[in-house]
Amino acid sequence: MQSSSASVRGEIVIRRAVSRDAKRLTRLVRGSRAYEGPYAAMVSDYRVGPDYIESHQVFVAVDAEDATDRVLGFYALLLAPAELDLLFVQDGTQGRGIGRLLVDHMKTQARAAGLDRVRVVSHPPAEGFYRAVGALSTGTARANPPAVAWDRPVLEFLIP
């Protein structure tokens, strides 16, 4: 399962997402506890499709010891403009360093693509995580109802 673009930390491997991952990534987004309550409407119809995976740099963290190739988390890096579009870690596996591993991998990919910074429009409850892994606050994205009914923090990763 590992390839030259994979990273390993213990039993967790990061690999490039493939079209067959689309349904699993969609389920991860829609089922995230971070989007319960007032945030639920934002992801209720969200879909990570095969076309999205093929068009962007999407990487998944999987349990290397699980024969089902269980997805523990994923991220999507957009190159133009440079933005971390999605980053999700499976409920129940948070706190194991998977999010930090995904961010470190994203920074490596951004550096390889020649980017010097990557913007993040954060889900409000995730702002603390992004700050903890090195993102700097740069402003606020205002609410855009009905799609997004709340202001969101905007942060930036500097890529040395």
Side-chain angles (χ1 to χ4, degrees):
M1 168 180 10
Q2 291 181 1
S3 69
S4 60
S5 64
S7 305
V8 180
R9 174 188 280 176
E11 71 282 356
I12 299 168
V13 174
I14 294 181
R15 63 163 173 78
R16 187 77 185 245
V18 294
S19 294
R20 74 176 184 276
D21 292 319
K23 288 182 182 178
R24 291 190 285 179
L25 302 186
T26 296
R27 280 193 303 271
L28 199 160
V29 170
R30 289 183 184 176
S32 174
R33 284 192 320 248
Y35 284 88
E36 290 178 331
Y39 301 117
M42 185 176 175
V43 298
S44 64
D45 293 325
Y46 197 88
R47 180 177 169 269
V48 180
D51 53 335
Y52 182 89
I53 290 170
E54 292 169 14
S55 300
H56 302 294
Q57 291 199 24
V58 182
F59 289 87
V60 296
V62 296
D63 183 339
E65 298 171 358
D66 185 333
T68 66
D69 199 34
R70 184 170 74 109
V71 173
L72 304 174
F74 78 100
Y75 76 88
L77 175 63
L78 309 184
L79 299 179
E83 184 170 347
L84 179 60
D85 188 39
L86 300 167
L87 189 146
F88 281 84
V89 175
Q90 184 75 43
D91 293 341
T93 63
Q94 295 170 359
R96 291 179 46 195
I98 296 166
R100 183 174 296 275
L101 183 63
L102 288 167
V103 167
D104 289 345
H105 189 274
M106 179 276 300
K107 289 177 182 177
T108 299
Q109 294 299 309
R111 190 174 307 109
L115 304 175
D116 65 352
R117 60 193 65 231
V118 175
R119 179 177 189 248
V120 180
V121 179
S122 177
H123 180 48
E127 181 180 11
F129 165 75
Y130 286 120
R131 287 177 180 267
V133 294
L136 306 172
S137 179
T138 61
T140 302
R142 296 291 170 214
N144 184 19
V148 181
W150 58 89
D151 292 347
R152 294 163 294 153
V154 178
L155 304 106
E156 183 174 79
F157 287 103
L158 300 178
I159 309 298

